[in-house]
PDB file of all heavy atoms in Angstrom:
ATOM      1  N   GLY K 142     108.217  98.928 116.781  1.00 46.00           N
ATOM      2  CA  GLY K 142     109.568  99.209 116.607  1.00 46.00           C
ATOM      3  C   GLY K 142     110.276  98.404 115.584  1.00 46.00           C
ATOM      4  O   GLY K 142     111.275  97.833 115.764  1.00 46.00           O
ATOM      5  N   GLY K 143     109.592  98.434 114.494  1.00 43.00           N
ATOM      6  CA  GLY K 143     110.088  97.592 113.327  1.00 43.00           C
ATOM      7  C   GLY K 143     111.498  97.849 113.057  1.00 43.00           C
ATOM      8  O   GLY K 143     111.880  98.964 112.731  1.00 43.00           O
ATOM      9  N   GLY K 144     112.345  96.794 113.199  1.00 46.00           N
ATOM     10  CA  GLY K 144     113.667  96.998 112.797  1.00 46.00           C
ATOM     11  C   GLY K 144     114.585  97.584 113.863  1.00 46.00           C
ATOM     12  O   GLY K 144     115.732  97.781 113.758  1.00 46.00           O
ATOM     13  N   SER K 145     113.918  97.901 114.928  1.00 49.00           N
ATOM     14  CA  SER K 145     114.729  98.582 116.094  1.00 49.00           C
ATOM     15  C   SER K 145     115.759  97.608 116.650  1.00 49.00           C
ATOM     16  O   SER K 145     116.824  98.005 117.004  1.00 49.00           O
ATOM     17  CB  SER K 145     113.744  98.932 117.178  1.00 49.00           C
ATOM     18  OG  SER K 145     113.032  97.893 117.711  1.00 49.00           O
ATOM     19  N   ALA K 146     115.355  96.285 116.632  1.00 51.00           N
ATOM     20  CA  ALA K 146     116.259  95.335 117.139  1.00 51.00           C
ATOM     21  C   ALA K 146     117.596  95.284 116.215  1.00 51.00           C
ATOM     22  O   ALA K 146     118.649  95.351 116.773  1.00 51.00           O
ATOM     23  CB  ALA K 146     115.573  93.946 117.110  1.00 51.00           C
ATOM     24  N   ALA K 147     117.297  95.261 114.868  1.00 51.00           N
ATOM     25  CA  ALA K 147     118.437  95.278 114.083  1.00 51.00           C
ATOM     26  C   ALA K 147     119.178  96.619 114.216  1.00 51.00           C
ATOM     27  O   ALA K 147     120.453  96.525 114.102  1.00 51.00           O
ATOM     28  CB  ALA K 147     117.914  95.024 112.606  1.00 51.00           C
ATOM     29  N   ALA K 148     118.475  97.644 114.235  1.00 49.00           N
ATOM     30  CA  ALA K 148     119.191  98.929 114.327  1.00 49.00           C
ATOM     31  C   ALA K 148     119.955  99.052 115.625  1.00 49.00           C
ATOM     32  O   ALA K 148     121.082  99.422 115.690  1.00 49.00           O
ATOM     33  CB  ALA K 148     118.127 100.063 114.264  1.00 49.00           C
ATOM     34  N   ALA K 149     119.448  98.497 116.706  1.00 48.00           N
ATOM     35  CA  ALA K 149     120.071  98.519 117.909  1.00 48.00           C
ATOM     36  C   ALA K 149     121.311  97.686 117.828  1.00 48.00           C
ATOM     37  O   ALA K 149     122.358  98.057 118.390  1.00 48.00           O
ATOM     38  CB  ALA K 149     119.124  97.985 118.998  1.00 48.00           C
ATOM     39  N   ALA K 150     121.111  96.533 117.237  1.00 46.00           N
ATOM     40  CA  ALA K 150     122.245  95.554 117.065  1.00 46.00           C
ATOM     41  C   ALA K 150     123.439  96.259 116.342  1.00 46.00           C
ATOM     42  O   ALA K 150     124.673  96.158 116.699  1.00 46.00           O
ATOM     43  CB  ALA K 150     121.880  94.353 116.385  1.00 46.00           C
ATOM     44  N   ALA K 151     123.008  96.982 115.219  1.00 44.00           N
ATOM     45  CA  ALA K 151     124.016  97.555 114.408  1.00 44.00           C
ATOM     46  C   ALA K 151     124.645  98.708 115.208  1.00 44.00           C
ATOM     47  O   ALA K 151     125.852  98.903 115.080  1.00 44.00           O
ATOM     48  CB  ALA K 151     123.318  98.176 113.136  1.00 44.00           C
ATOM     49  N   ALA K 152     123.828  99.417 115.963  1.00 44.00           N
ATOM     50  CA  ALA K 152     124.392 100.460 116.736  1.00 44.00           C
ATOM     51  C   ALA K 152     125.343 100.007 117.735  1.00 44.00           C
ATOM     52  O   ALA K 152     126.462 100.533 117.930  1.00 44.00           O
ATOM     53  CB  ALA K 152     123.254 101.261 117.429  1.00 44.00           C
ATOM     54  N   ALA K 153     124.995  98.938 118.371  1.00 41.00           N
ATOM     55  CA  ALA K 153     125.891  98.318 119.389  1.00 41.00           C
ATOM     56  C   ALA K 153     127.201  97.844 118.720  1.00 41.00           C
ATOM     57  O   ALA K 153     128.207  98.158 119.288  1.00 41.00           O
ATOM     58  CB  ALA K 153     125.203  97.168 120.032  1.00 41.00           C
ATOM     59  N   ALA K 154     126.969  97.269 117.555  1.00 39.00           N
ATOM     60  CA  ALA K 154     128.190  96.808 116.829  1.00 39.00           C
ATOM     61  C   ALA K 154     129.182  97.973 116.462  1.00 39.00           C
ATOM     62  O   ALA K 154     130.298  97.895 116.345  1.00 39.00           O
ATOM     63  CB  ALA K 154     127.791  96.022 115.567  1.00 39.00           C
ATOM     64  N   SER K 155     128.500  99.039 116.241  1.00 40.00           N
ATOM     65  CA  SER K 155     129.210 100.174 115.727  1.00 40.00           C
ATOM     66  C   SER K 155     129.860 100.979 117.002  1.00 40.00           C
ATOM     67  O   SER K 155     130.525 101.954 116.805  1.00 40.00           O
ATOM     68  CB  SER K 155     128.457 101.163 114.940  1.00 40.00           C
ATOM     69  OG  SER K 155     127.463 101.780 115.695  1.00 40.00           O
ATOM     70  N   GLY K 156     129.714 100.432 118.164  1.00 38.00           N
ATOM     71  CA  GLY K 156     130.322 100.956 119.272  1.00 38.00           C
ATOM     72  C   GLY K 156     129.501 102.009 120.060  1.00 38.00           C
ATOM     73  O   GLY K 156     129.872 102.569 121.090  1.00 38.00           O
TER      74      GLY K 156
END
Side-chain angles (χ1 to χ4, degrees):
Chain K
S145 59
S155 65

